[in-house]
């Protein structure tokens, strides 16, 4: 995707005209940008320079690194070698990749079994552990992408990998979500295309990070297919959270109602996988959404419904619910009490069980 197309996507996701985007940049940065100049960007006649890239980053709520370019394979290999996230040293990663190419690597069915395992592990393991494990798998699956089915596998692994980076960091999480969407497109599998985009949207919306990107990915998912599915459910709920954070109560509630209807048709029976949305997890989504909207009664009902069915082996999600109560306290005016309540809940969870999403939620409560 070139920079012009990206600017257009982010602008339209906010419902802005080219003139309004120019006006917002002028308002914040005291410039004299015109609608025609924005049009030239979007048609790739002119590329924005460093100053305007920074301005677009601030106004469109998108990390600067996303506007500056995409991560490629070489950068990923450098990342896993240099950022202390690889399960083995760089030479072993490269060796594993070539070995997979020479031997053919795991079959599609074996990869699907791996995905099932990682989906379950994500629910109870810490971000660092998942990141180390999945980084090696990504190096291996890169060597098998002659098979379109493995683009679907790769896209779902990328999505899980992206979840190990905080969205508010900007660059890494969003890079990986966008690459995951492109990889899913290569698979030709609409279910994977919708799921990857929806999972990214709910992750960013729930975290309150890169809301413009969350909206774009959610809109793309809904445009691909309106058939009730977990991917569509995630997309709708991610967009609802983005609306709630922006203060658009009516849109947030409308989307939440739509999400409930989709859940009635597509909700999961499986309880402990990141690739599923059972009733308790739907209520975790609703709990935070309603807490953000100041609907204390609705939030408490969602929390109680979630607790009734939340598996005991998933204490991290019980911590989520407790922290939502801290957010409610803070929003009701008890700022110090809400932050203290949330901090106590987070500290009660063993550090190795912490997720980056919980840390972002704690930061949101403290900002409140």
């Amino acid at each position: 995707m070139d920079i012009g197309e990206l600017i257009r996507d982010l602008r339209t996701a906010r419902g802005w005209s080219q003139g309004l985007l120019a006006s917002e940049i002028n308002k914040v940065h005291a410039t004299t940008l015109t609608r025609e100049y924005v049009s030239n960007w979007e048609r790739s006649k002119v590329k924005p320079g460093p100053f305007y890239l920074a301005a677009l980053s601030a106004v469109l709520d998108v990390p600067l690194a996303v506007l500056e370019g995409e991560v490629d394979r070489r950068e990923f290999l450098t990342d896993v070698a240099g950022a202390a996230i690889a399960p083995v040293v760089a030479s072993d990663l490269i060796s594993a990749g070539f070995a997979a190419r020479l031997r053919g690597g795991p079959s599609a069915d074996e990869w699907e079994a791996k995905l099932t395992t990682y989906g379950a592990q994500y629910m109870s393991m810490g971000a660092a552990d998942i990141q180390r494990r999945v980084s090696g798998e990504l190096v291996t699956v890169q060597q098998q992408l002659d098979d379109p089915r493995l683009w679907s596998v790769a896209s779902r692994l990328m999505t899980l990998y992206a979840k190990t980076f905080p969205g508010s960091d900007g660059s890494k999480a969003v890079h990986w979500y966008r690459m995951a969407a492109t990889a899913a497109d290569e698979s030709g599998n609409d279910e994977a295309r919708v799921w990857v985009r929806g999972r990214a949207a709910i992750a960013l919306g729930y975290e309150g990070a890169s809301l413009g990107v969350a909206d774009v990915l959610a809109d793309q998912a809904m445009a691909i297919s309106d058939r009730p599915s977990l991917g569509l459910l995630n997309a709708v709920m991610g967009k609802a959270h983005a609306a709630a954070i922006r203060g658009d109560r009516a849109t947030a509630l409308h989307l939440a109602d739509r999400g409930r209807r989709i859940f009635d048709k597509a909700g999961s029976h499986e309880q402990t996988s990141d690739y599923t949305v059972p009733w308790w997890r739907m209520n975790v989504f609703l709990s935070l959404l309603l807490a953000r909207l100041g609907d204390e009664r609705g939030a408490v009902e969602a929390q109680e419904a979630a607790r009734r069915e939340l598996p005991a082996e998933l204490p991290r999600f019980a911590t989520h619910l407790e922290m939502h109560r801290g957010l409610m306290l803070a929003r009701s005016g008890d700022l110090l009490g809400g932050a203290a309540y949330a901090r106590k809940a987070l500290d009660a969870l063993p550090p190795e069980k912490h997720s980056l999403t919980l840390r972002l939620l704690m930061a949101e409560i403290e900002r409140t």
Side-chain angles (χ1 to χ4, degrees):
M1 174 180 287
D2 64 30
I3 184 65
E5 186 180 356
L6 178 58
I7 292 170
R8 186 195 64 217
D9 279 355
L10 292 168
R11 173 180 62 77
T12 56
R14 287 178 171 267
W16 287 1
S17 66
Q18 292 175 337
L20 181 55
L21 174 56
S23 176
E24 289 296 315
I25 291 174
N26 292 338
K27 187 188 308 180
V28 174
H29 297 280
T31 51
T32 56
L33 193 68
T34 64
R35 183 202 67 77
E36 290 75 17
Y37 212 78
V38 172
S39 176
N40 285 336
W41 285 344
E42 294 186 358
R43 289 184 293 160
S44 297
K45 285 191 171 184
V46 177
K47 287 188 177 182
F51 174 84
Y52 278 119
L53 285 176
L56 287 163
S57 172
V59 169
L60 292 172
D61 186 29
V62 60
L64 181 58
V66 176
L67 295 169
E68 290 175 334
E70 296 289 342
V71 171
D72 60 18
R73 185 174 299 180
R74 184 180 296 108
E75 183 173 341
F76 168 65
L77 286 171
T78 303
D79 192 23
V80 297
I85 61 172
V88 288
V89 296
S91 62
D92 287 344
L93 277 174
I94 295 168
S95 175
F98 277 106
R101 185 67 176 181
L102 292 170
R103 298 191 204 113
S107 68
D109 287 343
E110 288 169 333
W111 274 117
E112 290 291 345
K114 283 175 176 280
L115 282 171
T116 299
T117 299
Y118 285 123
Q121 288 178 341
Y122 170 81
M123 303 295 279
S124 57
M125 292 178 63
D129 286 336
I130 288 292
Q131 191 177 79
R132 284 192 293 271
R133 295 178 187 219
V134 174
S135 60
E137 301 288 15
L138 283 168
V139 172
T140 300
V141 78
Q142 283 176 355
Q143 309 304 318
Q144 295 183 256
L145 296 178
D146 298 332
D147 183 343
R149 293 174 299 172
L150 294 188
W151 277 108
S152 172
V153 169
S155 70
R156 285 174 282 165
L157 279 171
M158 287 178 189
T159 306
L160 190 62
Y161 188 69
K163 274 289 297 160
T164 66
F165 294 105
S168 61
D169 257 1
S171 57
K172 292 189 182 299
V174 173
H175 273 318
W176 282 100
Y177 286 135
R178 295 190 76 92
M179 282 209 300
T182 302
D185 291 343
E186 290 291 324
S187 76
N189 183 327
D190 280 354
E191 184 177 356
R193 295 174 68 209
V194 173
W195 187 87
V196 163
R197 288 170 167 87
R199 185 66 186 91
I202 186 60
L204 293 172
Y206 191 99
E207 292 173 355
S210 301
L211 300 183
V213 178
D215 274 335
V216 167
L217 293 171
D219 288 341
Q220 289 175 355
M222 291 186 280
I224 291 167
S225 174
D226 62 359
R227 183 180 67 82
S229 67
L230 296 180
L232 184 62
L233 172 60
N234 282 329
V236 167
M237 293 305 296
K239 198 169 176 67
H241 276 277
I245 292 168
R246 292 189 179 113
D248 187 350
R249 182 183 182 86
T251 297
L253 291 175
H254 170 74
L255 289 166
D257 285 342
R258 183 180 175 188
R260 289 185 180 96
R261 292 193 297 273
I262 296 171
F263 178 86
D264 288 343
K265 296 180 179 179
S268 310
H269 295 292
E270 166 61 43
Q271 300 293 304
T272 57
S273 173
D274 187 51
Y275 299 117
T276 64
V277 183
W279 179 233
W280 68 261
R281 200 171 190 191
M282 178 66 179
N283 276 292
V284 172
F285 294 164
L286 289 170
S287 167
L288 180 57
L289 179 71
L290 296 172
R292 281 171 166 162
L293 292 173
D295 181 353
E296 184 172 332
R297 179 177 177 181
V300 169
E301 287 177 356
Q303 290 157 19
E304 291 175 349
R307 283 193 182 90
R308 284 195 292 271
E309 297 189 20
L310 178 63
E313 64 269 27
L314 302 179
R316 188 169 79 227
F317 291 91
T319 302
H320 276 262
L321 295 171
E322 285 297 292
M323 293 181 72
H324 297 173
R325 287 185 178 256
L327 178 62
M328 290 159 55
L329 282 170
R331 287 192 174 276
S332 71
D334 186 1
L335 306 182
L336 294 178
Y341 188 97
R343 174 60 64 184
K344 181 179 179 181
L346 184 60
D347 290 346
L349 186 70
E352 66 273 13
K353 300 287 186 182
H354 286 194
S355 69
L356 295 165
T357 302
L358 286 175
R359 294 171 200 161
L360 288 171
L361 182 55
M362 188 68 239
E364 179 181 347
I365 295 166
E366 291 172 339
R367 285 196 306 271
T368 300

